Amino acid sequence: VSKRARKGAGEQTWRGLGVSDGIVIGQVLRLHNGTCQVFRATIKEEDIERETHRLHAAVRLATRQLLAIKARAETELGADHAYIFDAHLLMLEDRKLLEDTEAFIRAERANAEWAVRVVADRFLAVYAEIKDEYLRERGSDIEDVTQRLLMALGGAERQDTSILTENAVIVAENLLPSAVAELDFEHARAIATDAGGWTSHTAIIARSLGIPAVVGVRQLHRRVRTGDLIIVDATRGDVILHPAHDTIEKYKVAAASSMETSSIVTEHDVAKLITLDEREIVLRANIELTAEYEGIKRFGARGIGLYRSEFLLSRHGSIPGEEDQFEAYKRIAELGGEDGATIRLFDLGGEKIGPRLTDHEQNPALGLRAIRFSLKNEDVLRHQIRAILRASAFGRLDIVLPMIMDLDDVRRSRKIIGAESALLESENIATGRVRIGAMIEVPSAVQLARTIAAEVDFFSLGTNDLVQYMLAVDRSNDDVADWFQTLHPSVLQSIYQVLTAANAAGIPSIICGEMAGTPAYAVMLLGLGATELSMTSSSIPRVRQVISGISHRDAHDIAMKCLQCGTAGEVEQIVRDEYLARWPQLFSTKSLPVIRHKT
Amino acid sequence: MVEKIVVVTNRLGLHARAAAQLVSAANRYQSLVRIERLDKSAAADAKSILSVLMLAASRGTELKLTADGTDENEAINALNGLFAEGFGELSP
């Protein structure tokens, strides 16, 4: 997907995929990973001992580096991202690797680099034959370790990214997990890689940190040098190397205006957010990774609106014990501050959990997941409840029950929460006052919102799942992507119905999900009656800016018109016409939904 | 020498994290510990993560553990325990 064009002397533009918005003008920091070129050399008989010593020294150096990376990953990305380095360390210590490599050096009188490469390739060849796809992909871990070892042999320290200049732009072929964990998040201003897609590790980390990133920029890495001037425009997916003077000037203006909407908050930003007609709107943060904690303050979130607790699980499904959970929730409670934090109980099932419990479901999205899973595995549920209740002594915590179908689910859960709470009291363990909310994302809960509202303390609307279940469209299936219509009138009517029911019952509701973080959709949600939105914290400045520039009255008028529509295309047409007419300073045709089917 | 037949029960099989646990456990014992696929297609030194990964033991694979040495019983029980609890992927 890359396009290259020359302009003026030396200026080169590439087109890739922008996976984390923003514009940065900076200097390249070129990371060599993935492509250590290795050459064969024949060494003299008497140098063989020296060569094996070099190998052992390189292993020691690489081990020290990995230990440091592991420690860093644990504190900054969370234990679930750090475990992989245990496996990497064991590979470095592996007798088989060392013995085979040493034997190769001796038998072939080969240099250590060549021996490492050949031996690793043998392992990788065996790996490539493995039938199980998941296990086969683990070959990338072997390659990661091999590259680190080759780097160590080259005598070249892995570049110390802690001495980055203020405006460093990381350019790499592909950022391996260990390289991402090594980055200095304070100074890395942008990332551009040759490989990668929307869901790559790089993209996920970049988005959660609010760093602009463009991936899939073919052949970029081999053409840049550290220190080159570069512009990363992730909003358009462009990367410009050696920009000409007038290009820089143009981007300085663009970068400055994008800074206004997506950078560090000023004092003014933390103040109350009100619409032009003085309706107060609260923006909160969705949190998954430890790396995102910093963003809560940085982007001015009013506490945590949704903590996805299942991210505490390691990538392969082991559920942490009560103590580990307690520590994690305590941290969340402290981060939430006076605005508090809402913890969603494990949304487990389908993909995320071990075998016995969810054996080959034909319809995982309709199967044993979320609250159903927890109610069936009561031990898991009880441990989690206890951990949350104990942590609530250290800050305001609320619980939200995922995938509620009706009052049965609510009552069964509340009964267990009540029992654990009484148990803790009898053990003289302190707890705080925890509110219990229902996640509304299943059509039956939309229909029954009025009755559910009577027995919970708040509603949380998960728009991603609501769209999926309301329209019966799998959001991960590309074949039906055309049918996944966020602005479908049935979705808007559902949201309106739920917000109205909550309002009538006198309980608050908060909208979580990607819809809330998209300015054009956020305005629609306001119009339908929402006053609290929760989103990835890096989206907050953008949404804040738009909300402070509109009146609720206008948003309401537009939303009511949309509720009368029969297709998503009709809604999209109204949104485009009305937004552009009323708020030309806030929206451009580019920031509004495209119309799928002309009406 | 002692031996034991085990089955891989965790969903993702002997992937990097499970293999890391297995190798770390085996390293705590003096005994020589080996793992062989019951279908005889591969065998591994339990103290080498690369060799364990090469077993390509996905879920449902049957394996024979053997331990030989002064602490062979402790070693085989420890490893058997890891398989029995699915490498901690099931238990809360």
Side-chain angles (χ1 to χ4, degrees):
Chain A
V1 212
S2 83
K3 186 185 74 183
R4 237 187 88 215
R6 280 184 177 274
K7 182 187 164 189
E11 178 176 310
Q12 295 173 19
T13 303
W14 278 264
R15 171 66 51 87
L17 174 67
V19 291
S20 178
D21 279 358
I23 295 171
V24 165
I25 306 172
Q27 282 174 305
V28 169
L29 178 85
R30 188 171 182 268
L31 290 190
H32 320 276
N33 49 16
T35 50
C36 246
Q37 291 298 326
V38 175
F39 299 97
R40 161 90 211 228
T42 306
I43 53 176
K44 293 190 200 114
E45 193 71 39
E46 60 264 33
D47 287 338
I48 286 183
E49 287 313 313
R50 209 194 56 192
E51 205 59 21
T52 57
H53 280 133
R54 275 185 65 223
L55 175 67
H56 287 279
V59 170
R60 284 195 298 273
L61 174 61
T63 305
R64 279 200 303 278
Q65 290 172 344
L66 266 178
L67 284 171
I69 292 169
K70 188 188 155 208
R72 194 157 173 232
E74 264 164 7
T75 54
E76 295 195 18
L77 300 172
D80 46 334
H81 284 261
Y83 87 87
I84 191 65
F85 302 117
D86 282 330
H88 288 189
L89 280 163
L90 282 169
M91 287 182 196
L92 273 179
E93 292 164 14
D94 198 300
R95 286 197 306 229
K96 200 166 161 59
L97 177 69
L98 264 182
E99 281 166 14
D100 286 7
T101 310
E102 238 188 277
F104 192 89
I105 292 175
R106 290 181 198 284
E108 305 285 327
R109 285 175 39 208
N111 51 332
E113 287 88 348
W114 185 253
V116 166
R117 185 69 269 173
V118 170
V119 170
D121 282 345
R122 283 185 195 157
F123 283 119
L124 287 167
V126 177
Y127 244 73
E129 295 295 310
I130 292 178
K131 285 198 193 70
D132 186 279
E133 190 190 344
Y134 182 83
L135 288 174
R136 192 170 58 232
E137 281 178 10
R138 292 316 91 193
S140 66
D141 291 321
I142 298 180
E143 186 58 26
D144 195 339
V145 172
T146 306
Q147 289 300 330
R148 181 167 296 282
L149 203 47
L150 290 175
M151 211 91 63
L153 273 171
E157 292 273 334
R158 284 272 282 217
Q159 289 125 312
D160 187 358
T161 51
S162 60
I163 52 160
L164 293 183
T165 53
E166 278 285 288
N167 53 356
V169 173
I170 307 289
V171 179
E173 272 204 2
N174 191 10
L175 279 178
L176 294 164
S178 66
V180 177
E182 262 180 319
L183 288 183
D184 179 344
F185 302 123
E186 287 289 312
H187 295 110
R189 305 305 297 184
I191 299 174
T193 60
D194 290 13
W198 181 260
T199 57
S200 62
H201 204 69
T202 310
I204 292 167
I205 297 280
R207 280 197 293 274
S208 64
L209 296 170
I211 299 175
V214 179
V215 302
V217 193
R218 282 173 52 200
Q219 308 272 328
L220 173 67
H221 180 253
R222 51 185 284 238
R223 287 171 195 276
V224 302
R225 283 178 198 181
T226 293
D228 282 353
L229 206 53
I230 193 170
I231 296 172
V232 173
D233 176 358
T235 314
R236 299 166 60 104
D238 284 348
V239 174
I240 302 158
L241 186 64
H242 306 306
H245 182 74
D246 56 337
T247 311
I248 296 174
E249 289 306 312
K250 200 181 83 193
Y251 270 95
K252 271 189 182 157
V253 176
S257 73
S258 90
M259 280 291 271
E260 278 166 26
T261 58
S262 70
S263 189
I264 294 127
V265 285
T266 63
E267 263 179 56
H268 167 78
D269 285 342
V270 225
K272 260 189 1 186
L273 169 61
I274 49 169
T275 60
L276 293 177
D277 49 357
E278 313 228 317
R279 187 175 171 95
E280 188 181 358
I281 306 296
V282 175
L283 304 184
R284 316 187 72 197
N286 289 350
I287 294 289
E288 294 167 5
L289 306 169
T290 322
E292 290 173 306
Y293 291 177
E294 189 208 350
I296 301 170
K297 257 220 168 72
R298 186 160 157 222
F299 298 113
R302 293 269 308 271
I304 297 167
L306 177 69
Y307 175 64
R308 299 184 165 107
S309 63
E310 62 276 10
F311 278 82
L312 280 174
L313 269 71
S314 71
R315 271 205 317 209
H316 308 301
S318 80
I319 299 174
E322 183 183 322
E323 283 313 308
D324 288 349
Q325 287 191 49
F326 165 70
E327 289 299 332
Y329 302 146
K330 192 175 144 200
R331 177 100 193 269
I332 293 296
E334 288 160 359
L335 279 168
E338 59 185 50
D339 290 306
T342 302
I343 296 180
R344 182 176 71 187
L345 296 186
F346 294 139
D347 188 354
L348 291 177
E351 291 304 288
K352 296 176 191 149
I353 195 70
R356 247 183 273 155
L357 304 162
T358 54
D359 245 330
H360 298 293
E361 291 191 324
Q362 222 163 15
N363 269 316
L366 308 181
L368 186 62
R369 51 170 290 210
I371 200 67
R372 303 169 184 177
F373 174 87
S374 295
L375 288 169
K376 272 230 171 183
N377 295 274
E378 224 179 278
D379 279 353
V380 175
L381 179 59
R382 286 184 185 273
H383 279 117
Q384 184 173 30
I385 301 279
R386 270 182 74 92
I388 297 173
L389 291 174
R390 284 171 55 199
S392 70
F394 298 87
R396 245 196 69 196
L397 284 183
D398 293 326
I399 291 176
V400 64
L401 312 167
M403 221 186 156
I404 290 297
M405 187 173 89
D406 59 20
L407 276 176
D408 267 345
D409 287 340
V410 173
R411 287 173 182 155
R412 286 176 67 190
S413 310
R414 288 202 84 125
K415 201 171 146 197
I416 291 169
I417 296 170
E420 288 304 325
S421 170
L423 206 59
L424 284 169
E425 201 176 326
S426 72
E427 296 168 36
N428 279 321
I429 296 173
T431 63
R433 209 188 81 80
V434 171
R435 298 184 308 159
I436 316 290
M439 197 97 198
I440 307 293
E441 49 198 340
V442 176
S444 66
V446 172
Q447 294 282 320
L448 299 172
R450 212 169 43 83
T451 65
I452 296 173
E455 298 191 24
V456 295
D457 301 317
F458 64 96
F459 276 168
S460 179
L461 270 95
T463 53
N464 298 351
D465 273 339
L466 183 64
V467 176
Q468 156 160 301
Y469 290 129
M470 186 58 61
L471 304 178
V473 174
D474 180 349
R475 63 180 142 130
S476 58
N477 182 345
D478 283 346
D479 293 338
V480 291
D482 282 351
W483 280 268
F484 194 90
Q485 302 169 347
T486 305
L487 287 183
H488 197 276
S490 67
V491 173
L492 301 186
Q493 285 185 23
S494 300
I495 295 171
Y496 183 62
Q497 199 177 327
V498 172
L499 292 172
T500 308
N503 207 19
I507 61 168
S509 21
I510 181 162
I511 302 190
C512 318
E514 271 149 48
M515 220 175 152
T518 312
Y521 295 163
V523 169
M524 176 65 70
L525 295 171
L526 254 54
L528 293 169
T531 55
E532 280 189 50
L533 306 175
S534 192
M535 62 199 72
T536 306
S537 39
S538 57
S539 300
I540 288 179
R542 260 192 321 205
V543 173
R544 162 181 286 275
Q545 190 200 24
V546 167
I547 289 179
S548 60
I550 63 158
S551 80
H552 169 254
R553 195 69 248 163
D554 282 343
H556 178 76
D557 289 348
I558 298 171
M560 292 307 114
K561 251 192 200 176
C562 293
L563 286 180
Q564 307 306 316
C565 292
T567 67
E570 289 167 30
V571 173
E572 285 154 1
Q573 187 71 57
I574 292 176
V575 165
R576 282 177 80 92
D577 295 349
E578 295 276 354
Y579 282 26
L580 288 175
R582 292 181 202 232
W583 307 301
Q585 75 285 12
L586 293 175
F587 293 99
S588 64
T589 46
K590 248 185 68 193
S591 62
L592 290 171
V594 282
I595 296 161
R596 290 158 214 270
H597 309 291
K598 275 266 178 224
T599 50
Chain B
M1 193 180 83
V2 290
E3 56 178 70
K4 194 138 214 160
I5 308 287
V6 294
V7 182
V8 180
T9 55
N10 49 315
R11 190 170 66 88
L12 295 170
L14 276 187
H15 56 79
R17 194 180 63 89
Q21 279 183 299
L22 183 77
V23 173
S24 304
N27 277 333
R28 285 196 281 272
Y29 301 93
Q30 300 290 323
S31 298
L32 186 69
V33 189
R34 293 193 62 77
I35 309 176
E36 192 180 352
R37 290 179 63 114
L38 269 197
D39 61 17
K40 302 258 186 216
S41 62
D45 170 0
K47 296 182 184 180
S48 156
I49 191 167
L50 289 166
S51 128
V52 168
L53 287 170
M54 294 304 158
L55 288 171
S58 51
R59 184 182 169 204
T61 307
E62 291 175 307
L63 303 169
K64 183 169 84 178
L65 305 177
T66 57
D68 192 1
T70 49
D71 51 6
E72 57 189 32
N73 286 313
E74 292 89 336
I76 210 146
N77 287 336
L79 264 53
N80 184 41
L82 284 174
F83 281 97
E85 66 198 31
F87 293 89
E89 287 172 26
L90 301 170
S91 54

